Amino acid sequence: TYNIAVANGNYRVRIHFTEGYADPYGRRKMKYIIEGQTVLENFNIYTAAGNATYKAVIREFNTIVSDGVLTINCYKASGNDVFEAGIEVISQ
């Protein structure tokens, strides 16, 4: 879980991923929730990268913060964890 102190308002969240492990069977899946809204479910970075390793993938989401804290929850759905390589939070 990431809790990022921000001013209340509208934000774009970019999550950067990179895959260093080939998973042709789709066993590595993650779930991401931003501000209580599921934005990725059963996300497999290998599939998202076009079945390629060492390829960056970025997913963007818009959200609204009303309590001064941007919360991003990451859950392992199955297999080994898929780790995000970076998170950008951009005020809109």
Side-chain angles (χ1 to χ4, degrees):
T1 297
Y2 297 93
N3 291 305
I4 303 165
V6 295
N8 292 343
N10 297 320
Y11 290 89
R12 174 170 293 143
V13 176
R14 291 182 184 152
I15 305 176
H16 298 253
F17 300 92
T18 186
E19 175 59 282
Y21 170 78
D23 181 21
Y25 304 108
R27 294 177 291 207
R28 298 173 65 207
K29 296 180 181 171
M30 292 287 289
K31 178 177 183 175
Y32 287 82
I33 300 170
I34 299 175
E35 287 296 298
Q37 299 294 314
T38 299
V39 296
L40 291 171
E41 183 134 19
N42 291 317
F43 179 71
N44 179 289
I45 182 60
Y46 183 72
T47 303
N51 298 328
T53 55
Y54 302 107
K55 182 177 178 184
V57 173
I58 300 170
R59 294 291 185 258
E60 291 187 352
F61 311 96
N62 293 320
T63 192
I64 299 170
V65 174
S66 59
D67 63 356
V69 178
L70 172 62
T71 301
I72 303 169
N73 300 103
C74 315
Y75 299 99
K76 179 176 81 168
S78 64
N80 298 322
D81 285 342
V82 176
F83 293 104
E84 52 283 349
I87 296 175
E88 288 180 88
V89 177
I90 303 159
S91 178
Q92 295 191 311

